[in-house]
Amino acid sequence: MSNAARWTHPATEVLQVGTGFRLADVDADATPGYTGGKSDGATDLAEGITRLGDLQERLFAEHVDGGTRDGVLLVLQAMDSAGKGGIVRHVVGGVDPQGVALAAFKAPTDEERAHDFLWRIEKRVPAHGLIGVFDRSHYEDVLIARVRTLAPEDEIERRYGAIVDFEKRVADSGIRIVKVMLHISRDEQKARLMARLDRPEKQWKFNPGDTDERLHWDDYMAAYQTVFERTSTPEAPWHVIPANRKWYARLGVQELLLAALQDIDPQWPKARYDVEAEKKRLAAS
Amino acid sequence: MSNAARWTHPATEVLQVGTGFRLADVDADATPGYTGGKSDGATDLAEGITRLGDLQERLFAEHVDGGTRDGVLLVLQAMDSAGKGGIVRHVVGGVDPQGVALAAFKAPTDEERAHDFLWRIEKRVPAHGLIGVFDRSHYEDVLIARVRTLAPEDEIERRYGAIVDFEKRVADSGIRIVKVMLHISRDEQKARLMARLDRPEKQWKFNPGDTDERLHWDDYMAAYQTVFERTSTPEAPWHVIPANRKWYARLGVQELLLAALQDIDPQWPKARYDVEAEKKRLAAS
């Protein structure tokens, strides 16, 4: 499973949420399973992009050919400034845009709010043959919704089970679900938000509400802990990636995507027509 | 407008369909307006990707800030194997996926067919702040539809005017429309299709129907000529890019996108909050 010599343990193992997992024990500065440093990480990331692109194209080809119902869905959750955007840009951005379906979930619209919380999610589940990416997701409905009391307690409670059932169905339909929380420390977030305030071309990314959310940091961490306990399943396990070092977080997500695609092991489809006959017909055209 | 020293004339000028334009006169091997060769083209393309990414991020930032209703829509049309996929991958693929909305139009579904031909198109017009890409488009409804008689003659006739009105509205709403036909020669197409047949990992891209379409080559060229005459407008001009040399076609499309974004000239938004006060509040959080 491991894709570069510098991984001593597969990312799928060292990053996966297992029994007894405690978010509070995760060191956001760590680089678990990886022996290299920042420049090694850049080298391995560049190399992985080529492999990821190749696997994605095979997956897409199999789908066009009708030979697969496989697909991949990357679910990205994180506190603000943890690097979701960088993952989309530097990991997913290396893949042919035709093979990617990106869905960014913001605060729900009135129409979305008038439906079950999974209504808008279902519509964005990636088609077979694609790598889908959720930038935030249905987990907001048990994270900010819980911390900010946007829904009654029994409704929040109902949602954990609904998510597990929903994800099982999606996984059973052929979509590998890779759930990732990018984990930064509270101090790191402060430094990153301050950097936004310091640079005029980054100030548009800052919202005074970001500071308000920080005041609920511990509540968010508790809500994430509950999410891991209630929704990490064999079909759709959670991974927590230490993300104070951006290069490691990117490499980690890439490894998880590579592992999902290697598990699918997509193959170039065989031609469903007589190749030699078509060559003759084309030559005469 | 010109973005690299090796452009002697702006791509917007030399590639634009003007009065008296004849597709039959275009040399698909040419590299109009550009003095460099293939390796120069690669250098300039790489450099342009950085500029395009910067402009796109500014556009996105302006939009998030609510300060713009601008956007860009690239409409790609071409005969099969002319390189649309390569444009998406190598030109659009250099931009942050979060700033791109890609729509590939295939044969319409039953539901789409039960509506006006522009119904499915309207739904995919890019949001302000984004670069939208149409891989095929509503022009299929006056190209293959005309060549293959998929609609009555008077309906085809009606569509030219409907397209002009539709595009004017989209342009008036703030979207720069960049319409591109990638033009390859009939011989070049044969060589590219043959290359697909020759390589097992490319055979899935070949469809025996591709050869059938080749037999209507002249009809397609005539249908394109009519498209240019009827739908090239000041708000949404057509560009024909010689595409036998893939590197030139990519560079040409990139120049057109850069010109559209430079015309918008997006600026980093000024902070709508008190930066110093927020720094203090953040520091204390």
Side-chain angles (χ1 to χ4, degrees), chain A residues 190 203 208 214 273 283 285, chain B residues 190 203 214 273 281 283 285:
Chain A
K190 185 189 281 192
Q203 286 171 356
R214 273 179 65 72
Y273 49 82
S285 74
Chain B
K190 185 189 280 190
Q203 287 171 355
R214 272 179 65 72
Y273 49 82
R281 217 163 65 85
S285 74

Side-chain angles (χ1 to χ4, degrees), chain A residues 143-159:
Chain A
L143 288 165
I144 189 171
R146 184 179 181 123
V147 172
R148 295 300 208 157
T149 326
L150 304 179
E153 207 173 315
D154 59 344
E155 166 62 8
I156 302 276
E157 197 56 30
R158 179 189 74 85
R159 290 178 182 173

Side-chain angles (χ1 to χ4, degrees), chain A residues 57 60-61 64 85 88-89 93 96-98 102 135 190 193-194 197-198 201-206 208 211-212 214-215 268-269 271 273 275 278-279 281-283 285, chain B residues 57 60-61 64 85 88-89 93 96-98 102 135 190 193-194 197-198 201-206 208 211-212 214-215 268-269 271 273 275 278-279 281-283 285:
Chain A
E57 195 182 350
F60 189 75
V64 168
V88 171
R89 191 167 195 151
D96 190 332
Q98 296 161 100
L102 176 64
D135 176 354
K190 185 189 281 192
L193 292 177
M194 200 60 89
L197 284 168
D198 278 334
E201 78 276 18
K202 297 289 180 195
Q203 286 171 356
W204 67 275
K205 290 190 176 185
F206 181 89
T211 302
D212 303 332
R214 273 179 65 72
L215 303 177
W268 297 117
Y273 49 82
V275 174
E278 288 301 327
K279 281 187 188 174
R281 216 163 66 85
L282 176 60
S285 74
Chain B
E57 195 181 350
F60 189 76
V64 169
V88 172
R89 191 167 194 151
D96 190 332
Q98 295 162 100
L102 176 65
D135 176 354
K190 185 189 280 190
L193 293 177
M194 200 60 88
L197 284 168
D198 278 335
E201 77 276 18
K202 297 289 178 194
Q203 287 171 355
W204 66 276
K205 290 190 175 185
F206 182 88
T211 302
D212 303 331
R214 272 179 65 72
L215 303 176
W268 296 118
Y273 49 82
V275 175
E278 287 301 326
K279 280 187 189 175
R281 217 163 65 85
L282 176 61
S285 74

Side-chain angles (χ1 to χ4, degrees), chain B residues 59-127:
Chain B
L59 177 69
F60 189 76
E62 268 199 351
H63 166 66
V64 169
D65 185 62
T68 184
R69 295 188 61 78
D70 293 310
V72 175
L73 172 58
L74 173 66
V75 177
L76 288 174
Q77 284 290 154
M79 296 297 284
D80 198 44
S81 83
K84 286 189 286 82
I87 297 291
V88 172
R89 191 167 194 151
H90 298 285
V91 181
V92 180
V95 175
D96 190 332
Q98 295 162 100
V100 171
L102 176 65
F105 292 99
K106 315 278 182 193
T109 63
D110 286 349
E111 189 189 21
E112 289 168 349
R113 234 185 291 266
H115 291 83
D116 181 53
F117 75 110
L118 289 172
W119 180 76
R120 66 173 185 162
I121 305 296
E122 180 87 46
K123 291 200 281 186
R124 307 301 295 272
V125 171

Side-chain angles (χ1 to χ4, degrees), chain B residues 224-276:
Chain B
Y224 270 108
Q225 177 69 35
T226 303
V227 159
F228 300 143
E229 289 167 8
R230 302 287 295 274
T231 68
S232 207
T233 63
E235 295 86 11
W238 270 104
H239 305 83
V240 173
I241 305 191
N244 277 6
R245 298 172 201 260
K246 289 180 185 175
W247 64 265
Y248 175 79
R250 290 170 191 173
L251 205 57
V253 172
Q254 188 184 65
E255 284 285 309
L256 297 178
L257 288 177
L258 283 169
L261 281 156
Q262 285 162 353
D263 182 55
I264 295 172
D265 192 23
Q267 302 297 323
W268 296 118
K270 285 202 173 35
R272 291 175 181 275
Y273 49 82
D274 181 335
V275 175
E276 292 311 315

Side-chain angles (χ1 to χ4, degrees), chain A residues 39-225:
Chain A
S39 71
D40 300 319
T43 305
D44 287 342
L45 188 74
E47 200 235 310
I49 281 174
T50 308
R51 274 208 312 281
L52 195 59
D54 175 68
L55 284 163
Q56 183 280 320
E57 195 182 350
R58 286 168 188 255
L59 177 69
F60 189 75
E62 267 198 353
H63 165 66
V64 168
D65 185 62
T68 184
R69 294 187 62 78
D70 293 311
V72 175
L73 171 58
L74 173 65
V75 176
L76 288 174
Q77 284 290 155
M79 295 299 281
D80 198 44
S81 84
K84 285 189 287 83
I87 297 292
V88 171
R89 191 167 195 151
H90 298 284
V91 181
V92 180
V95 174
D96 190 332
Q98 296 161 100
V100 172
L102 176 64
F105 293 98
K106 314 277 181 193
T109 64
D110 286 349
E111 189 189 21
E112 288 168 351
R113 235 184 291 265
H115 291 83
D116 181 53
F117 75 110
L118 290 172
W119 180 75
R120 65 173 185 162
I121 305 295
E122 179 86 47
K123 292 201 280 187
R124 308 301 295 274
V125 171
H128 301 117
L130 299 184
I131 298 176
V133 181
F134 284 179
D135 176 354
R136 303 189 187 276
S137 67
H138 42 297
Y139 285 100
E140 293 297 323
D141 298 292
V142 288
L143 288 165
I144 189 171
R146 184 179 181 123
V147 172
R148 295 300 208 157
T149 326
L150 304 179
E153 207 173 315
D154 59 344
E155 166 62 8
I156 302 276
E157 197 56 30
R158 179 189 74 85
R159 290 178 182 173
Y160 297 110
I163 287 173
V164 168
D165 291 347
F166 168 74
E167 291 180 350
K168 180 168 191 319
R169 172 166 57 83
V170 171
D172 287 348
S173 82
I175 309 291
R176 288 346 178 246
I177 303 177
V178 179
K179 297 192 293 198
V180 168
M181 183 226 186
L182 301 174
H183 185 50
I184 55 171
S185 64
R186 193 169 174 167
D187 285 348
E188 176 69 16
Q189 189 195 47
K190 185 189 281 192
R192 291 187 187 183
L193 292 177
M194 200 60 89
R196 289 183 181 176
L197 284 168
D198 278 334
R199 295 171 59 189
E201 78 276 18
K202 297 289 180 195
Q203 286 171 356
W204 67 275
K205 290 190 176 185
F206 181 89
N207 186 311
D210 298 345
T211 302
D212 303 332
E213 290 304 304
R214 273 179 65 72
L215 303 177
H216 298 276
W217 186 274
D218 292 341
D219 296 337
Y220 274 106
M221 293 305 112
Y224 270 108
Q225 177 69 36

